[in-house]
């Protein structure tokens, strides 16, 4: 019908100059340029991951050498280097290194005797997904913070790891039935 009416049919035809375009299109739009960009992005991400791991290890070294302020700066840099749009194998949106770096910042503040920033850092670490509650309750890194601010510390930990039974309720039952007395 187009030809009979004098219509232009050239838009339906491919000439040989479109050969490369058709090859890329048939292959899922994947060409040398796409591969180059993907390789560059992969190499950059691996370099950033390596630099972040080195910085984290330097922070641990500073912590072990009682250079807590330097360690905080390094752990804060590790937090800042969190890869954008990260999705882990378990669909986590935050890397495990981020969680541990946040916990380590809380330990540094605890060792320095800065209670308010330590509690804030602990809250941030637990909020980001750090879930080793046994370590939080018993590790030496937070010993000073647990001793200085026991109520606030327990309130933060209980917010993320609720006890099975309310300790006050258990104590009340013990007193009611005479089990708490010696």
């Amino acid at each position: 019908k187009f030809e009979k009416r004098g219509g232009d049919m050239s838009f339906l035809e491919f000439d040989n100059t479109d050969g490369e375009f058709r090859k890329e299109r048939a292959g899922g739009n994947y060409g040398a340029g796409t591969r180059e960009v993907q390789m560059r992005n992969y190499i950059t991400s691996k370099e950033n991951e390596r630099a972040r791991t080195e910085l984290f290890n330097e922070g641990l070294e500073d912590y072990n050498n009682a250079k807590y302020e330097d360690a905080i700066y390094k752990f804060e840099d590790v937090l800042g280097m969190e890869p954008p749009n990260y999705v882990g194998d378990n669909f986590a949106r935050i890397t495990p290194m981020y969680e541990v770096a946040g916990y380590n910042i809380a330990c540094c503040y605890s060792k320095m005797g800065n209670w308010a920033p330590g509690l804030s850092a602990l809250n941030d670490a637990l909020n980001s997904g750090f879930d080793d509650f046994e370590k939080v309750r018993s590790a030496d890194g937070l010993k000073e913070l647990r001793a200085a601010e026991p109520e606030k510390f327990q309130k933060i930990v209980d917010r993320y790891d609720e006890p099975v039974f309310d300790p006050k309720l258990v104590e009340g039952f013990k007193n009611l039935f005479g089990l708490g007395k010696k």
Side-chain angles (χ1 to χ4, degrees):
K1 287 186 173 181
F2 268 154
E3 286 182 37
K4 287 183 185 176
R5 295 185 184 160
D8 183 17
M9 301 271 300
S10 63
F11 70 91
L12 297 176
E13 300 170 5
F14 285 107
D15 59 356
N16 288 340
T17 58
D18 294 358
E20 291 300 315
F21 168 76
R22 285 190 293 165
K23 284 181 186 176
E24 249 188 79
R25 188 174 184 191
N29 196 21
Y30 183 80
T34 305
R35 178 167 173 71
E36 181 181 334
V37 168
Q38 287 177 338
M39 287 303 294
R40 191 174 338 118
N41 290 344
Y42 176 78
I43 290 169
T44 302
S45 72
K46 288 298 177 185
E47 287 173 356
N48 289 344
E49 185 179 334
R50 181 193 51 74
R52 188 171 184 227
T53 302
E54 285 178 9
L55 194 59
F56 182 84
N57 290 334
E58 289 173 13
L60 286 177
E61 197 172 299
D62 285 346
Y63 177 82
N64 290 331
N65 293 329
K67 298 178 184 174
Y68 302 120
E69 196 166 329
D70 293 339
I72 289 172
Y73 288 130
K74 289 178 181 161
F75 290 133
E76 288 286 348
D77 287 344
V78 168
L79 297 181
M81 293 173 73
E82 178 75 0
N85 303 321
Y86 172 82
V87 178
D89 292 338
N90 61 352
F91 300 106
R93 302 290 296 165
I94 295 175
T95 60
M97 189 181 293
Y98 186 95
E99 297 170 4
V100 175
Y103 170 78
N104 290 344
I105 291 170
C107 291
C108 289
Y109 280 125
S110 175
K111 292 291 186 184
M112 291 169 48
N114 294 341
W115 313 134
L119 290 169
S120 176
L122 178 63
N123 188 47
D124 292 345
L126 295 174
N127 194 35
S128 72
F130 187 81
D131 60 358
D132 190 351
F133 299 109
E134 185 63 34
K135 186 175 209 165
V136 170
R137 286 188 173 101
S138 63
D140 279 346
L142 295 173
K143 180 173 57 177
E144 295 84 359
L145 188 59
R146 277 193 307 270
E149 298 283 348
E151 296 86 20
K152 291 179 182 178
F153 182 88
Q154 195 60 43
K155 185 177 178 183
I156 289 172
V157 174
D158 285 347
R159 186 178 319 142
Y160 296 97
D161 184 34
E162 296 180 15
V164 177
F165 296 108
D166 184 8
K168 293 178 184 174
L169 184 64
V170 171
E171 192 63 33
F173 274 116
K174 285 181 179 179
N175 291 338
L176 180 66
F177 294 110
L179 299 173
K181 298 177 183 174
K182 292 184 181 180

